[in-house]
Amino acid sequence: MLRQAGLRVPEDVSVIGFDDIQSAAFQNPALTTVRQPLREMGVIAAETLLQRIASPRNKPYPKTITIET
């Protein structure tokens, strides 16, 4: 669609994907992707859930958890 609109990648438009899928390496135009630390995210989610189950009212819990990509 970008080419049909007369736009050039990356000169006119940047295309960025998320999750660092394997097929991104074979896309034309090339696709920049962001890799997520899925295992770390799962560990943190499980630990947070277990902490909340163990002490649901006694301990404040984070409203936001940020993990670097």
Side-chain angles (χ1 to χ4, degrees), residues 14 17 46-47:
S14 294
E47 288 173 347

Side-chain angles (χ1 to χ4, degrees), residues 8-67:
R8 299 170 300 151
V9 177
E11 291 85 355
D12 300 320
V13 178
S14 294
V15 179
I16 301 174
F18 209 72
D19 288 341
D20 196 23
I21 57 175
Q22 290 181 346
S23 66
F26 307 104
Q27 300 299 313
N28 185 8
L31 181 63
T32 298
T33 63
V34 177
R35 180 176 292 155
Q36 297 184 86
L38 298 177
R39 183 174 181 81
E40 181 182 359
M41 291 165 63
V43 168
I44 290 171
E47 288 173 347
T48 302
L49 178 61
L50 292 173
Q51 289 171 3
R52 289 199 59 198
I53 290 170
S55 58
R57 299 177 195 264
N58 301 336
K59 187 175 177 183
Y61 61 91
K63 300 288 184 186
T64 303
I65 298 173
T66 304
I67 302 170

